Amino acid sequence: MDVSFADKKLEQCSEDGRYCVKYLGMKRAKIFMTRITNLKAANSLEDVRYLPGKFHELVGERKGQWACDLDQPYRLIFEPHEEPIPTDENGKYIWLEIKGVEIIEITNYHGK
């Protein structure tokens, strides 16, 4: 899958393990690299849906974004490249048709 980054620091983290550890800390960096590797190896978002990390759609003001767990309570937030996001006749997102994502941020959206 095509993976891009909205944030230069997160992009650098994906390319430079030492920088990633410095920026995110050892534990979060290791999980971050695993999630990015999984996303890049996938053919579509469906391929990561049931992997460790609880990849899931967000709702409310974050509708159209997805998240996966890093170290609690932090999540990796991303959006599909496809516009509009593919949906079925019931308005549900079609994970199989999402072939690229943009990494938006790492955040604790539950703590806000």
Side-chain angles (χ1 to χ4, degrees), residues 12-53:
Q12 189 172 351
C13 281
S14 75
E15 297 168 352
D16 182 345
R18 289 175 56 179
Y19 178 82
C20 190
V21 169
K22 181 179 178 184
Y23 184 65
L24 298 176
M26 181 63 77
K27 182 177 181 181
R28 192 172 307 149
K30 183 177 178 182
I31 299 167
F32 171 83
M33 293 303 287
T34 299
R35 301 292 182 256
I36 296 300
T37 299
N38 288 342
L39 285 166
K40 286 182 176 181
N43 291 316
S44 72
L45 198 54
E46 182 69 27
D47 293 340
V48 298
R49 189 174 200 163
Y50 302 107
L51 291 179

Side-chain angles (χ1 to χ4, degrees), residues 6-106:
D7 180 293
K8 286 290 184 192
K9 289 182 179 180
L10 291 176
E11 182 174 16
Q12 189 172 351
C13 281
S14 75
E15 297 168 352
D16 182 345
R18 289 175 56 179
Y19 178 82
C20 190
V21 169
K22 181 179 178 184
Y23 184 65
L24 298 176
M26 181 63 77
K27 182 177 181 181
R28 192 172 307 149
K30 183 177 178 182
I31 299 167
F32 171 83
M33 293 303 287
T34 299
R35 301 292 182 256
I36 296 300
T37 299
N38 288 342
L39 285 166
K40 286 182 176 181
N43 291 316
S44 72
L45 198 54
E46 182 69 27
D47 293 340
V48 298
R49 189 174 200 163
Y50 302 107
L51 291 179
K54 297 183 184 175
F55 288 82
H56 59 283
E57 300 170 19
L58 298 178
V59 297
E61 65 185 38
R62 288 192 175 266
K63 185 167 177 58
Q65 295 181 339
W66 272 252
C68 62
D69 292 348
L70 294 176
D71 57 322
Q72 291 297 333
Y74 293 95
R75 307 289 193 278
L76 182 66
I77 310 300
F78 54 94
E79 296 177 341
H81 287 164
E82 288 77 11
E83 277 202 33
I85 301 171
T87 57
D88 65 15
E89 63 277 354
N90 297 317
K92 292 186 178 191
Y93 294 125
I94 305 172
W95 290 49
L96 191 60
E97 292 183 16
I98 298 171
K99 306 289 185 183
V101 296
E102 181 174 44
I103 306 300
I104 305 298
E105 66 180 331
I106 292 173

